Amino acid sequence: MIGLSMRCLHHFLLAASVLAGAATAGPLPPGAAARAEDGTNNRGRDTEKDESMNTDTPVVLVVGASGSIGRPAVAEALRRGYETRALVRDPAQATLFPDGVRIIVGDLTLPDTLHEAVAGVTGIIFTHGVSGNDPKAAEQVNYGAVRNVLSVLKAPARIALMTAVGVTKPSVGHDWKRRGERLVRASGLPYTIVRPGWFDYNAPDQLRLALRQGDTHWAGSPSDGVVARAQIAQVLVASLTSSAANGKTFELVAEKGPAPTDLEPLFSALSPDPSDGYDGIRDRDNLPLAKEPSTVTRDLDALRGRFKD
């Protein structure tokens, strides 16, 4: 689980800032002015990584683009000036997105259909997921989509993965989401994992973001935390160019108060995930690897450190 190199991140930020300046007028959302850090917030992680990432022009792929978080994430990436790709299963869904978005048709359950989507990307935002506890759907989508996209990725890319608050509370759906998180951590790619609270259950004046760690809220109701869809999208996109967010997992909720104008202090205050494990910092040890399905351990072995060298 290796951190993004400072030079590589610097190039990404430089290209992003130039492009954002050419985008539509108006203030950038929280965290837009992401700045490079010296790596001290990524304890236990190697911040010198092979510069094989294409950072000439940021190319961001949104997985689950047609969903309720995917659509605002696409719009946010495009607004920041990124070359933005929306991965959809049905070509008719192209009408969901603004002009300038590249629509790519692919099936998350079929890796061979995903090569075009990932070719040349510098960032991938995963917003996919199925609710409920259907075993087949949970494995194929919550987990399989992450495995399949990473399996066809040929060069390093920054990852932003959305799962859910309470994901460490055992259930069929949660367990497969958590296994998807583990794949990202095992890959050696730079990443941020965001576990948002209940979408749009926030009051109009409930916009002050709070980033928690350890996933301690298990009620399975909005009492676990709430947050606006637009703010989830902003955090996911902002994390792609933040060294302070690299290698970190957190729950994202909103409290009463105004929206932050800068996400970097929130990212910087977080602890990084352990460099020698597969789970988020302070997560409960209630999904032991020794008891995992053999297919899952094989997938972890196949991805482990794939982008390390």
Side-chain angles (χ1 to χ4, degrees), residues 127-200:
T127 65
H128 67 290
V130 294
S131 59
N133 289 302
D134 178 279
K136 182 177 180 180
E139 179 177 0
Q140 287 186 333
V141 179
N142 295 345
Y143 172 79
V146 178
R147 177 196 59 210
N148 293 343
V149 170
L150 296 184
S151 72
V152 298
L153 189 63
K154 301 300 183 185
R158 181 69 179 253
I159 305 298
L161 171 65
M162 182 188 80
T163 58
V165 68
V167 72
T168 61
K169 180 180 181 180
S171 74
V172 172
H174 283 169
D175 289 353
W176 285 112
K177 284 180 181 287
R178 192 171 176 186
R179 290 170 180 134
E181 291 187 356
R182 287 175 168 178
L183 289 177
V184 169
R185 296 188 190 99
S187 70
L189 292 167
Y191 70 85
T192 304
I193 295 175
V194 181
R195 298 164 168 174
W198 288 57
F199 304 166
D200 282 349

Side-chain angles (χ1 to χ4, degrees), residues 3-229:
L4 185 64
S5 74
M6 293 300 102
R7 285 182 60 194
C8 184
L9 178 59
H10 171 74
H11 292 164
F12 193 115
L13 288 168
L14 180 60
S17 64
V18 171
L19 287 168
T24 55
L28 286 176
R35 56 185 179 274
E37 301 288 340
D38 62 5
T40 56
N41 290 311
N42 291 318
R43 298 185 300 275
R45 295 182 182 274
D46 183 359
T47 57
E48 293 301 322
K49 185 174 176 65
D50 175 37
E51 294 184 47
S52 57
M53 187 183 297
N54 175 10
T55 56
D56 294 335
T57 300
V59 180
V60 174
L61 170 69
V62 179
V63 177
S66 63
S68 68
I69 305 301
R71 293 194 302 275
V74 167
E76 177 68 7
L78 186 69
R79 196 187 77 78
R80 287 171 178 263
Y82 300 161
E83 181 181 324
T84 305
R85 300 176 184 176
L87 180 62
V88 299
R89 189 171 182 175
D90 182 356
Q93 293 174 320
T95 59
L96 297 173
F97 307 103
D99 292 342
V101 175
R102 180 181 172 188
I103 308 302
I104 300 182
V105 178
D107 187 332
L108 290 174
T109 68
L110 300 173
D112 287 344
T113 70
L114 302 174
H115 291 280
E116 180 185 2
V118 302
V121 297
T122 54
I124 302 175
I125 301 174
F126 289 94
T127 65
H128 67 290
V130 294
S131 59
N133 289 302
D134 178 279
K136 182 177 180 180
E139 179 177 0
Q140 287 186 333
V141 179
N142 295 345
Y143 172 79
V146 178
R147 177 196 59 210
N148 293 343
V149 170
L150 296 184
S151 72
V152 298
L153 189 63
K154 301 300 183 185
R158 181 69 179 253
I159 305 298
L161 171 65
M162 182 188 80
T163 58
V165 68
V167 72
T168 61
K169 180 180 181 180
S171 74
V172 172
H174 283 169
D175 289 353
W176 285 112
K177 284 180 181 287
R178 192 171 176 186
R179 290 170 180 134
E181 291 187 356
R182 287 175 168 178
L183 289 177
V184 169
R185 296 188 190 99
S187 70
L189 292 167
Y191 70 85
T192 304
I193 295 175
V194 181
R195 298 164 168 174
W198 288 57
F199 304 166
D200 282 349
Y201 274 72
N202 58 300
D205 63 347
Q206 198 173 0
L207 298 172
R208 182 171 64 86
L209 294 180
L211 279 54
R212 308 185 309 225
Q213 294 185 292
D215 197 36
T216 58
H217 293 67
W218 279 13
S221 72
S223 66
D224 289 334
V226 298
V227 64
R229 285 179 168 90

